[in-house]
Amino acid sequence: MSKSNKKKLVAEEIENKNYSKAVDNLKKIYNKIILPVEKIYLFEEFHSPPLTNADIVAKPSVLVLGQYSVGKTSFIKYILDREFPGCHIGPEPTTDSFMAITGNKKDRIIPGFAAVVSTDLPFTTLNKFGRAFLNKFKVSQVNSPILDNITFIDTPGVLSGEKQSIGRSYSFPEVVKWFVERADLILLFFDVHKLDISDEFKSVINVLKGHEEKMRVVLNKSDEVNVQHLIRVHGSLMWSLGKILNISEVIRVYICSLCDEELRYKDCEQLLKSEEEHLLNDLRILPTNAIDRKVNEMVKRAKLVKVHGLIISRLREEMPYMKNKESKQRQLINTLPEIFEELQKQYGLAKNDFPDVKEYQKKLNNYKFDEFNKYNKKLFSAIDRILTSEDMKNIMDDFQQGITEISEIKIKSKYLAKL
Amino acid sequence: MSKSNKKKLVAEEIENKNYSKAVDNLKKIYNKIILPVEKIYLFEEFHSPPLTNADIVAKPSVLVLGQYSVGKTSFIKYILDREFPGCHIGPEPTTDSFMAITGNKKDRIIPGFAAVVSTDLPFTTLNKFGRAFLNKFKVSQVNSPILDNITFIDTPGVLSGEKQSIGRSYSFPEVVKWFVERADLILLFFDVHKLDISDEFKSVINVLKGHEEKMRVVLNKSDEVNVQHLIRVHGSLMWSLGKILNISEVIRVYICSLCDEELRYKDCEQLLKSEEEHLLNDLRILPTNAIDRKVNEMVKRAKLVKVHGLIISRLREEMPYMKNKESKQRQLINTLPEIFEELQKQYGLAKNDFPDVKEYQKKLNNYKFDEFNKYNKKLFSAIDRILTSEDMKNIMDDFQQGITEISEIKIKSKYLAKL
């Protein structure tokens, strides 16, 4: 083994060690500190189900969205440098399902129904979208070193007309929303021949609101027109995006040709190459960003769990021992806004750390407050330690010292040949 | 004289004959048919002053707007292929005045105060903007064959900051509005280094609302960046315009280098040339469009004059001979909406042909209705003849048979040399 090869191997071990270590720490923190509080104060019934280990260790995911036949599936094949089970590519709508492309020693397809009951896959909560959706969901497991660190989510083409979407028996934007919230990078694909933004596309773009920082726009097949034409096409796309996206900063559009074929027009070869390099780099550094995001989400969740626990335990403690329980409970629900304010003052919490008071008032009607658990000092101190100590920061720092790029993602030979 | 030269001369005579003939016909129609109705029913006091002959014969005008130093004055010099009195060009704000560049045998500058009292110039109504503006308005008369058929309006650069515009002692957007309404083509200039759209610029773009069909955007100095950069710059401009302009159709941006210097980056030479050709062609065909617009405006005015005359004469006829004049007049003002409806039914007019009823109610308080003139059948029949007969259509047809392009506007030598 050459010296440089050996060096590379060591670097990769460090990387994996750091990635696993960071994720392991997160798992520990969640299961030992946050989850117990969730359980004793019924967090799930007011907010969301507990995170599974699969959710926490889930690899960074790249969600690929766009009209049909703009090259979404081809792009994934291009990056992996191989075909994969379930990949159909063609000029007509070919991908009619949502497909998660993940790494595995052996290639295979897992159908939706099986995928959502596999607790080692991070898709269990997709169950709520029901049969109609699960029939249109698959996991494609593929042997590829790139997929050791990343998961791609391929999607059916966004439809161009209102009428077509009637055929879908599940809510496309709702499902997209589920994936958007969990994605680390969202690629919105257009191609130089398909720039129109349909109503369904608009509703998808609406779902992206608030997630613009992880969104990138790709103008694909840019080699299929000459440079004059490309300037116009890119301009029209910017015009439409400017109208639809409610952000003031100009969005970055990657002008690419993400497929194996030779470039048709070569007058922008240099541009296409440098754009592709930028896009590939966004993919390479995903693991770093992903850990940051996971830590971030975990802190957000810990905060909400704490606030929820404080509310529930306070309500329990306000209850009388013997009589007038019902009237006291009604009174507590009515004065919930004041209770929120008291807690904010007492614990130095911000108003916007608190959930919607009206929703709580509605939900609380279904409970008997004297069955709630009381304030547990030990549990809350533990959560406070995460929120205030250096634990979370250490996880990120640990990780970022490692080599975190996916080195297998490389610029393609069609460019290397000549440049 | 060669045969082809002679042929050209004859063609030009036809052109001029047709242009003058069309304009002469318009003048006749206005002065003989519309103006008398305006006069006897006090149109000016409710709407706008009579058109002067200068207004009617005014050559098609091109309004040039944009930030300072994006090449507005250079563009005019480039088209005329010569310097002109009052043209200062530089990297700092150089044009601090509105300047009308018109044709004349002898070069000279007419200051604003003199220009607005010259009844042979179409600027008399600019008087209303007062001293502060007139100090910043000039007419530059220039000996150029192109200016026989066209007038350019050069403008001070739109300012980039709110603070600067405090220095202006007249309302910039108001003045721009005056020119916008009278322009046949509006060129909105940007350059590749100055894309930001300031608040003043936004207020100017607001003034352009409803005039989008005569507006073109020019991205100037496009040769000063390479093609990669140009794609980005053009894209950002489209993004911003998409946000600001409230039209769904993608606006046309001309990617140009409108000055005498050699191109700096030549990778888009072909594009720049073809864009310039398109822009020049928009200028060449202006006389045709201008006549269409003049006829159109004249028909619009005739319609409004007729409606106004019908209202005033009806009010006169409703007045009693002897007594109760004042109470009757009050009653007529109160029931004005019903009177409008009656007139609409009786004369088959549309509701939106009628002016704002509340404004009329306010203004009518200052008049004695029995001093109004009665319905004059002869005058109204004459107006109806214009509105229904072929007269107006004939004017346009007459004109369009002539050769109407300004043949002197030619692609520049910097392109001819090589292509």
Side-chain angles (χ1 to χ4, degrees), chain B residues 197-417:
Chain B
I197 298 180
S198 67
D199 289 345
E200 185 170 85
F201 212 158
K202 269 182 205 154
S203 69
V204 164
I205 288 177
N206 268 331
V207 164
L208 295 174
K209 265 183 195 149
H211 299 277
E212 287 86 357
E213 83 293 348
K214 50 186 186 184
M215 178 177 143
R216 306 282 182 281
V217 178
V218 174
L219 179 58
N220 202 13
K221 308 190 186 179
S222 295
D223 65 312
E224 294 188 7
V225 292
N226 64 22
V227 62
Q228 270 100 317
H229 200 141
L230 183 58
I231 291 176
R232 292 270 166 250
V233 166
H234 176 257
S236 309
L237 180 58
M238 295 300 283
W239 167 274
S240 309
L241 291 173
K243 285 204 177 301
I244 290 175
L245 294 174
N246 219 346
I247 47 173
S248 58
E249 212 184 319
V250 180
I251 197 152
R252 179 82 154 90
V253 170
Y254 292 92
I255 300 169
C256 292
S257 164
L258 299 165
C259 68
D260 290 312
E261 265 115 78
E262 285 293 301
L263 300 179
R264 190 160 149 216
Y265 286 91
K266 308 212 171 184
D267 37 6
C268 284
E269 188 162 6
Q270 194 64 47
L271 171 71
L272 297 184
K273 186 190 172 216
S274 104
E275 295 281 290
E276 186 169 321
E277 264 298 359
H278 277 109
L279 181 63
L280 295 183
N281 204 46
D282 280 350
L283 294 175
R284 277 188 208 113
I285 61 169
L286 269 183
T288 326
N289 294 348
I291 277 286
D292 286 357
R293 193 180 67 82
K294 276 179 204 285
V295 169
N296 201 24
E297 299 274 298
M298 195 64 87
V299 170
K300 233 196 268 175
R301 186 167 181 115
K303 224 171 196 171
L304 186 59
V305 167
K306 173 186 166 181
V307 165
H308 173 78
L310 289 174
I311 297 167
I312 297 297
S313 56
R314 171 62 50 95
L315 292 174
R316 169 67 187 84
E317 278 155 21
E318 292 287 336
M319 289 297 282
Y321 277 98
M322 302 291 287
K323 50 187 178 176
N324 297 332
K325 287 191 176 182
E326 278 188 26
S327 68
K328 180 65 182 177
Q329 187 163 330
R330 270 199 306 281
Q331 184 219 322
L332 285 171
I333 291 180
N334 287 334
T335 59
L336 198 61
E338 287 91 66
I339 295 174
F340 276 24
E341 275 177 36
E342 275 172 40
L343 289 170
Q344 283 156 27
K345 267 188 209 154
Q346 185 176 345
Y347 293 96
L349 294 162
K351 202 178 167 199
N352 59 15
D353 286 335
F354 272 65
D356 185 62
V357 69
K358 279 186 188 142
E359 257 177 52
Y360 263 57
Q361 286 173 320
K362 217 186 285 171
K363 283 186 180 156
L364 283 169
N365 277 318
N366 308 321
Y367 294 89
K368 290 191 171 162
F369 294 2
D370 57 350
E371 291 172 3
F372 285 163
N373 280 308
K374 288 195 177 175
Y375 182 79
N376 179 323
K377 201 181 166 201
K378 219 173 113 190
L379 289 180
F380 282 104
S381 315
I383 280 216
D384 277 337
R385 265 206 312 281
I386 318 174
L387 291 174
T388 55
S389 80
E390 300 279 283
D391 283 6
M392 295 307 240
K393 208 181 149 290
N394 287 343
I395 291 178
M396 287 194 276
D397 289 350
D398 267 8
F399 182 67
Q400 274 159 0
Q401 283 160 19
I403 291 157
T404 56
E405 294 197 357
I406 308 177
S407 52
E408 291 87 355
I409 297 179
K410 292 195 185 92
I411 192 85
K412 298 300 159 180
S413 54
K414 71 176 172 183
Y415 292 111
L416 290 177

Side-chain angles (χ1 to χ4, degrees), chain A residues 261-263 266 269-270 273 412-419:
Chain A
E261 265 114 79
E262 285 294 301
L263 299 179
K266 309 213 171 184
E269 188 162 6
Q270 193 64 47
K273 186 190 172 216
K412 299 300 160 179
S413 54
K414 70 175 173 185
Y415 292 111
L416 290 176
K418 269 146 279 127
L419 295 169

